[in-house]
Each structure stands twice: as C-alpha cells, then as structure tokens.
Amino acid sequence: MRIVIASDHAAVELRQEMADEARSLGHEVTDLGPAPGEAVDYPVNGAKVGRLVASGEYDLGLLACGTGVGISIAANKVPGIRAVVCSEPYSAKLSRQHNDSNVLAVGARVVGPGLARMIVAEWLAAEFEGGRHARRVGLITDLETVTRDASVS
Ligand code: RB5
C-alpha cells in the first residue's frame, strides 16, 4: 500500500521506527518529516497527512506526536478521515476491521519503539470487514454534513 507518514518534533524517532516497520512489511512509504531538530506544529502535519489520504493520493496515513492525540484530532478535521490513537495492537486491528480507520496515530511519550512497531504491523495487516460495520461507518460519514443543530438518530 501507499503510506504517508508525518509527525511533530516530539516524535521524530518514533516516526522513523513506524516508517521502517511499514517499509519492512513491503509498503511504499512517503515520509513528510520533520527532520531531527526541526520544529513543526502537530496540526500542520496532521492536516497534511489527512488531506493526502482523503484525496486518494495515499491509501493510509501514519502519524506521531507526543501523545498521538493532538495530531489525530487535526487529521480528523479533514472530511473522510477516521484517525485513531492507539497504544496497543488490539484497538489498532479492530479500528481497521470495524471502523475502517485510515490514519493511525501513536504517542512517542506513551509507547516505546517495539510496541509502536507491533501496533503499526497489526493495523496494516488488518482489513475492513464491511457488512454491518459499513452502515455504521456510513453514519460517521453522515456526521460530516449535518448541521450543528441537527440530531442524528
Ligand atoms: C508537543 O509538545 C506536544 O504537545 C505534542 O507532541 C502532542 O503531544 C500533542 O498532542
């Protein structure tokens, strides 16, 4: 698969581990940085990866920041993105199978390199199961177009 990856300055080393894991599994990985010592605000790179995945230029996105939280919130502002923060492989796998997550974020201050690689590997190996899950993911997509006052039943 075509994978795009980025982080902020708090997660440069973890991002490199994640990219290396994805490459070792045969994926084509584009790394948007930042380089060591370069400061980048997490919303900037979260949005970049989100837009590149939502546009179809890449199949999936990987993100990392200190906690994985801020950068995933930013990515989730892009319509079509279902970004998840995971600290263990089970949720990562299920987020692909049930939620069709298309961006995975990991926190460099939360998860060590070995566990991060395992999370990435499980996430990339899992596939969306469709079926009853597709309807529910559709309900999530519907939320992108409802107005602030609308209620979704
Ligand atoms: C940067 O210090 C830190 O706030 C960021 O990496 C991330 O943890 C935000 O959610």
Side-chain angles (χ1 to χ4, degrees):
M1 280 189 284
R2 296 160 306 160
I3 312 280
V4 59
I5 186 167
S7 70
D8 72 355
H9 46 273
V12 171
E13 285 179 16
L14 191 79
R15 186 193 80 238
Q16 289 166 345
E17 294 277 354
M18 292 165 70
D20 189 57
E21 181 66 18
R23 285 193 186 103
S24 77
L25 293 168
H27 299 286
E28 185 186 310
V29 179
T30 300
D31 189 342
L32 304 183
E38 183 189 349
V40 173
D41 292 324
Y42 61 81
V44 173
N45 275 355
K48 269 187 192 168
V49 164
R51 289 178 184 133
L52 287 166
V53 172
S55 71
E57 203 166 323
Y58 290 88
D59 301 307
L60 294 173
L62 292 170
L63 291 170
C65 68
T67 58
V69 173
I71 206 159
S72 64
I73 290 173
N76 273 320
K77 295 295 180 187
V78 179
I81 292 304
R82 290 174 298 279
V84 291
V85 191
C86 292
S87 303
E88 37 72 32
Y90 181 80
S91 301
K93 179 178 177 176
L94 269 286
S95 80
R96 286 285 297 135
Q97 292 179 334
H98 291 189
N99 315 117
D100 200 15
S101 62
N102 49 16
V103 173
L104 169 71
V106 181
R109 295 174 183 155
V110 182
V111 169
L115 182 54
R117 292 182 82 114
M118 196 179 288
I119 292 166
V120 168
E122 285 288 333
W123 188 70
L124 290 175
E127 287 179 19
F128 182 48
E129 291 177 356
R132 69 187 192 280
H133 303 298
R135 186 183 62 80
R136 293 165 183 157
V137 171
L139 291 172
I140 294 174
T141 304
D142 290 348
L143 294 170
E144 292 173 355
T145 47
V146 295
T147 65
R148 181 183 284 264
D149 298 328
S151 62
V152 175
S153 56

